């Protein structure tokens, strides 16, 4: 959901509470919020404008830690503030960068769908997890090409994003099996292919995605079923080239166990990581909007498509 009427604070809260969710949507919503905020800022000087925009960017960056699409998107538009030009020109450069990011983000999903559909054959059964617009783009494109496909979609405890996925698949008329997360190994032999999205991809091709992705990849590996990750180039994490790890968000215990039940179990601690990391060796292919790569080529995306260079490390805001 991108809503141009939402304030910066509403967007930040929407991302934090997961009303706005999914790495691509989070990125676009953050950029949209910054664009709207920039347009309404009464700043008199460029320094004032920069300072307030940095405060706004920091507010958005602090919402959810795992999806690298968020800092990558914010960085890509905040870069325009560094130009040494008059305030009015900075304002319009920022607006253009924001619109360009949003357009290229939605365009990327379409391209991924187009490329991804080529990996789905007529008659294939595809397993997916969580609710990824990039992964769904591949599945829906294959279906629209007339391929007779079937899907296994997981429930996705504890936030049940699988419901969003099965609604979309149902709306498209795609035959779908809805399964609990723990039924993955039972059905993996019926799947020809696993397609999932990504929140972050490290320089060595490991994939952070919704909790439960790694066990699916493990089951697929054992069953010799290919695992395809559908991810825009801005889901690659540049700072992993410098040794940073992907922070895994741990969400409130109440998402798993109601507080009143937890209160009766003083010796029990609920753990609720929202994401896990699938090692590159369990990923067969990553499909981006610039083509498919093996996970071992993740660095090329960071270098060639994000224009990442080591010098940026020394610029404090760029690292945000
Ligand atoms: C969403 C999730 C999705 C990725 C990719 O987690 O793990 O698979 O974000 O999605 P959450 P997309 O629901 O916790 O945000 O392809 O739509 O960017």
């Amino acid at each position: 959901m991108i809503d141009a009427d939402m304030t910066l604070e509403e967007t930040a809260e929407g991302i934090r509470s997961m009303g706005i969710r999914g790495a691509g949507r989070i990125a676009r919503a953050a950029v949209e919020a910054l664009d709207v905020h920039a347009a309404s800022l009464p700043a008199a000087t460029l320094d004032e404008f920069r300072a307030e925009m940095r405060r706004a960017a920091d507010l958005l960056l602090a919402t959810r830690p795992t999806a690298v699409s968020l800092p990558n998107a914010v960085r890509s538009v905040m870069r325009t503030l560094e130009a040494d030009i008059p305030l009015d020109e900075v304002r319009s450069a920022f607006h253009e960068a924001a619109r360009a990011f949003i357009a290229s983000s939605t365009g990327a999903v379409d391209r991924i769908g187009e490329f991804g559909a080529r990996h789905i054959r007529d008659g294939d059964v595809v397993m997916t997890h969580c609710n990824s617009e990039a992964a769904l783009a591949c599945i829906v494109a294959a279906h629209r090409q007339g391929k007779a496909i079937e899907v296994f979609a997981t429930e996705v405890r504890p936030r049940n994003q699988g419901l969003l996925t099965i609604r979309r698949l149902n709306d498209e008329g795609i035959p779908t099996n809805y399964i609990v997360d723990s039924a993955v190994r039972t059905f993996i032999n019926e799947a020809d292919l696993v397609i999932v999205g990504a929140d972050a991809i490290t320089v060595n091709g490991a994939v952070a995605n919704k909790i439960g992705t790694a066990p699916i990849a493990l089951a697929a590996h054992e069953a010799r079923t290919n695992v395809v990750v559908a991810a825009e180039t801005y889901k690659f994490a540049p700072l992993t080239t410098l040794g940073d790890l992907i922070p895994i968000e741990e969400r409130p215990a109440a998402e798993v166990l109601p507080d009143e039940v937890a209160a009766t179990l003083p010796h029990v601690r609920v753990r609720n990581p929202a994401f896990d990391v699938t090692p590159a060796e369990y990923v067969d292919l990553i499909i981006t909007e610039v083509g498919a790569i093996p996970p071992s080529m993740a660095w090329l995306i960071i270098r060639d498509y994000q224009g990442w260079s080591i010098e940026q490390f020394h610029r404090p805001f760029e690292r945000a």
Side-chain angles (χ1 to χ4, degrees):
M1 172 183 62
I2 296 187
D3 186 344
D5 291 333
M6 284 175 87
T7 65
L8 183 75
E9 286 73 18
E10 283 167 348
T11 301
E13 184 47 34
I15 296 173
R16 203 176 294 117
S17 62
M18 294 177 60
I20 301 166
R21 50 143 303 280
R25 289 186 180 91
I26 288 172
R28 290 196 296 277
V31 168
E32 179 74 49
L34 286 174
D35 190 23
V36 171
H37 190 64
S40 65
L41 264 188
T45 67
L46 184 55
D47 281 348
E48 235 181 88
F49 184 71
R50 282 184 180 136
E52 176 49 31
M53 288 305 291
R54 284 183 182 147
R55 188 200 67 81
D58 286 345
L59 180 77
L60 293 162
L61 290 170
T63 52
R64 290 191 80 190
T66 303
V68 76
S69 53
L70 176 60
N72 281 349
V74 168
R75 185 172 51 242
S76 82
V77 292
M78 291 297 285
R79 234 176 233 159
T80 56
L81 300 188
E82 289 170 17
D84 202 9
I85 50 177
L87 176 57
D88 278 0
E89 289 175 35
V90 169
R91 278 185 190 277
S92 61
F94 187 87
H95 177 63
E96 271 165 40
R99 295 343 290 171
F101 175 83
I102 290 168
S104 78
S105 168
T106 49
V109 173
D110 294 342
R111 295 275 287 173
I112 289 169
E114 193 185 310
F115 296 149
R118 295 185 190 151
H119 293 271
I120 303 174
R121 298 161 303 178
D122 194 20
D124 269 357
V125 176
V126 180
M127 186 176 280
T128 191
H129 182 57
C130 198
N131 177 255
S132 155
E133 59 178 358
L136 280 173
C138 305
I139 295 169
V140 168
H143 169 75
R144 289 185 182 172
Q145 286 167 1
K147 293 174 184 166
I149 59 167
E150 187 177 327
V151 176
F152 276 85
T154 50
E155 185 180 29
V156 194
R157 278 278 292 153
R159 295 293 296 253
N160 298 343
Q161 288 93 329
L163 264 182
L164 301 170
T165 296
I166 60 170
R167 281 204 190 102
R168 174 83 201 281
L169 294 168
N170 185 69
D171 288 349
E172 291 286 338
I174 300 174
T176 299
N177 305 278
Y178 185 46
I179 60 172
V180 295
D181 302 337
S182 45
V184 160
R185 193 170 183 279
T186 299
F187 291 113
I188 194 71
N189 284 309
E190 293 185 32
D192 298 291
L193 190 63
V194 172
I195 304 185
V196 292
D199 284 86
I201 299 175
T202 67
V203 68
N204 68 345
V207 175
N209 191 49
K210 179 52 55 194
I211 190 80
T213 303
I216 294 175
L218 190 60
H221 186 73
E222 183 199 35
R224 308 286 186 270
T225 302
N226 281 344
V227 174
V228 169
V229 173
E232 301 86 324
T233 50
Y234 66 84
K235 309 268 180 74
F236 289 71
L239 293 175
T240 59
T241 59
L242 304 175
D244 280 18
L245 299 175
I246 303 294
I248 299 296
E249 176 184 14
E250 188 142 354
R251 296 199 50 91
E255 288 186 348
V256 177
L257 203 61
D259 284 342
E260 58 276 20
V261 179
T264 66
L265 304 167
H267 302 292
V268 175
R269 175 183 176 204
V270 174
R271 302 299 307 269
N272 185 20
F275 302 96
D276 62 23
V277 178
T278 300
E281 65 198 279
Y282 298 135
V283 176
D284 293 284
L285 202 63
I286 302 174
I287 299 180
T288 78
E289 74 277 17
V290 294
I293 56 159
S296 56
M297 290 177 80
W299 160 241
L300 287 189
I301 298 290
I302 292 170
R303 190 191 64 186
D304 296 350
Y305 291 95
Q306 295 184 348
W308 183 255
S309 69
I310 208 89
E311 289 75 41
Q312 291 181 351
F313 177 65
H314 300 290
R315 286 147 69 176
F317 181 74
E318 289 291 318
R319 204 176 142 71

